[in-house]
Amino acid sequence: MNYKVPFVNPAKQYQNLKKEILSVFDNVLSKGDLILREDGEKFEKSIADFIGVKYAVALNSGTDALFLALKAANIGPGDEVITVSHTFVASIAVIVNCGAKPVLVEVKDDFTMDIDKIEAAITGETKAIIPVHLNGRVCEMDKIMAIAGKHNLIVIEDAAQALGAKYQNKMAGSFGLVGCFSLYPFKILGCFGDGGILTTDDEKIAEKARLLRDHGQKTKTEIVCFGWNSRLDNVQAAFLNVKIKYLKEWIDRRREIAAIYNNGLKDIQGIELPASPNSDEKHFDVYQNYVLKAGKRDELSAFLKEKGVETLIKDPIANHQQPGLGLSHFNLPYSEKLAREVISLPMYPELNQEQIEYVIESVKKFYC
Ligand SMILES: Cc1ncc(COP(=O)(O)O)c(C=O)c1O
């Protein structure tokens, strides 16, 4: 279907950057610099500087950033890790995949981890907390770090959706032992394919993650542990080195669009909007997703589709209620309610004013 306002528009971004992208593509391929080369190192340095940490390790996905973070922190069988159900399933999958047990807690009405629920979930086996900065809003990290400190727990931030987001003026990915970001194409900063990166101030964690992403190869001849192939392609890093120049501009634009949406939609009964940019001095949100809680959500989505506005209902079934995942022992009524109510509107820097206004008018038409 040809939407008047598509949910994402990667082709438009490519058109805007085409000259620069084709030039680096030609440059990298002409040199034959494909695996673990200079462009990757340059990208790692840019991200470490941007987040304000000592190290960044470029990887093939946000999922492997989380997985290798857990492995590098020696989390495995017999350990419990606390995270939320209301997230992309990867946040939970990595815990299971490293042999540990996920313990799921509720989120608050801004979709961040409910800090009042954490301590009740801690047992003698708990080793780590994975707070998820969903939709580009950072969890209450001061409180999470305090709880973790009190109980001697590791914190691994799932910042997959939060590159550039801040809490109390500090960047997502700089609070915990490790921060994990996704560079999936539709993220705030995305590859033309999959990618991810982890950030840390801990030299040993960075070293271990570098080994684990490359089959434990310390040098060409020395293998010091078993690992995986989780490397970011050098050509993708070169593309990211182009795109990162626009990161601040893109974040500002996302915040601007969120403000226009919020202003246009504020008087509608039946929907709940995300917090506006600058509405609370602790949070600097980057609006990876613009998510409404909507009564008659499925009808709204169908109506918008008819009007040519593409929306996303990502997880209509809460993760812990997915029959195949073995998590149905968790009772998380608020997360279940959110699964029935949330809907994402188009949100990307390339949206134009006419499209934004059209989305607002179309939502208004449905409810008014
Ligand atoms: C909250 C969250 N965690 C983890 C991931 C996994 O990242 P990736 O898709 O790059 O593996 C995503 C990706 O969408 C995500 O949104």
Side-chain angles (χ1 to χ4, degrees):
M1 181 166 169
N2 223 351
Y3 285 99
K4 199 164 171 162
V5 191
F7 185 68
V8 288
N9 196 346
K12 183 96 194 319
Q13 191 196 61
Y14 173 62
Q15 283 309 321
N16 293 343
L17 303 175
K18 190 168 178 175
K19 244 176 106 180
E20 287 181 273
I21 293 294
L22 290 182
S23 157
V24 301
F25 181 68
D26 184 50
N27 186 26
V28 168
L29 267 61
S30 298
K31 284 193 290 185
D33 277 355
L34 303 178
I35 304 286
L36 293 181
R37 306 306 287 261
E38 224 173 81
D39 302 277
E41 284 168 23
K42 182 176 170 199
F43 179 63
E44 288 176 341
K45 167 118 187 40
S46 299
I47 289 289
D49 289 348
F50 179 72
I51 301 299
V53 293
K54 288 190 191 144
Y55 310 100
V57 182
L59 300 164
N60 62 344
S61 66
T63 302
D64 274 17
L66 287 163
F67 179 66
L68 296 194
L70 288 165
K71 296 299 287 184
N74 285 323
I75 288 165
D79 297 334
E80 292 180 6
V81 179
I82 297 172
T83 192
V84 292
S85 173
H86 188 73
T87 176
F88 181 54
V89 67
S91 322
I92 307 166
V94 291
I95 301 169
V96 176
N97 290 342
C98 75
K101 187 170 143 198
V103 176
L104 306 180
V105 297
E106 282 285 21
V107 289
K108 299 185 299 162
D109 64 354
D110 66 354
F111 309 114
T112 63
M113 184 177 258
D114 186 343
I115 36 122
D116 293 334
K117 299 286 171 13
I118 298 174
E119 285 201 289
I122 294 173
T123 70
E125 271 59 65
T126 309
K127 287 281 156 44
I129 306 175
I130 302 184
V132 182
H133 308 319
L134 206 70
N135 304 324
R137 184 177 180 84
V138 182
C139 297
E140 289 178 282
M141 288 310 296
D142 51 345
K143 294 176 185 149
I144 291 176
M145 293 310 293
I147 294 170
K150 184 172 150 196
H151 296 273
N152 201 19
L153 305 177
I154 286 164
V155 174
I156 293 172
E157 293 172 69
D158 183 339
Q161 301 188 4
L163 184 63
K166 293 180 225 171
Y167 179 74
Q168 293 178 329
N169 234 2
K170 196 168 152 54
M171 284 278 186
S174 69
F175 292 89
L177 178 67
V178 194
C180 302
F181 297 90
S182 169
L183 304 167
Y184 176 76
F186 307 132
K187 291 293 192 271
I188 289 167
L189 180 68
C191 302
F192 294 105
D194 278 303
I197 194 157
L198 69 74
T199 52
T200 184
D201 273 323
D202 188 301
E203 191 181 359
K204 286 208 170 74
I205 290 284
E207 239 174 58
K208 191 79 201 256
R210 282 183 206 289
L211 287 171
L212 293 179
R213 76 173 169 183
D214 193 28
H215 285 297
Q217 299 177 97
K218 194 168 181 184
T219 63
K220 280 211 168 91
T221 51
E222 193 186 359
I223 300 166
V224 296
C225 60
F226 286 115
W228 289 265
N229 175 358
S230 302
R231 305 173 301 238
L232 177 70
D233 291 338
N234 191 62
V235 71
Q236 296 291 355
F239 296 148
L240 291 161
N241 286 332
V242 170
K243 290 190 178 193
I244 200 169
K245 291 187 283 178
Y246 302 95
L247 179 58
K248 283 195 177 126
E249 189 185 304
W250 287 342
I251 289 171
D252 287 348
R253 179 66 183 147
R254 283 176 179 272
R255 287 168 56 79
E256 197 174 85
I257 296 168
I260 303 171
Y261 271 152
N262 272 21
N263 193 42
L265 299 171
K266 67 177 186 296
D267 295 327
I268 300 176
Q269 302 289 312
I271 56 174
E272 206 181 303
L273 308 176
S276 295
N278 306 323
S279 59
D280 127 28
E281 61 186 25
K282 282 189 182 172
H283 288 276
F284 180 90
D285 298 340
V286 292
Y287 300 92
Q288 166 64 61
N289 307 307
Y290 183 88
V291 180
L292 300 178
K293 289 172 213 151
K296 296 193 278 176
R297 186 262 319 262
D298 295 342
E299 292 91 327
L300 171 65
S301 171
F303 178 82
L304 291 175
K305 184 174 177 188
E306 234 171 70
K307 293 274 161 214
V309 176
E310 190 181 15
T311 59
L312 179 71
I313 298 173
K314 179 67 194 73
D315 292 308
I317 302 168
N319 282 313
H320 64 281
Q321 293 191 310
Q322 290 283 356
L325 301 185
L327 300 167
S328 57
H329 50 290
F330 290 106
N331 178 29
L332 302 164
Y334 189 60
S335 297
E336 290 158 27
K337 181 170 161 0
L338 287 179
R340 293 190 296 270
E341 290 184 354
V342 292
I343 178 168
S344 302
L345 300 184
M347 166 57 84
Y348 43 95
E350 294 79 17
L351 281 175
N352 63 36
Q353 189 65 21
E354 194 189 320
Q355 288 177 308
I356 301 165
E357 280 167 17
Y358 184 76
V359 173
I360 293 170
E361 287 318 307
S362 303
V363 176
K364 274 187 179 162
K365 268 198 191 117
F366 177 75
Y367 284 104
C368 303

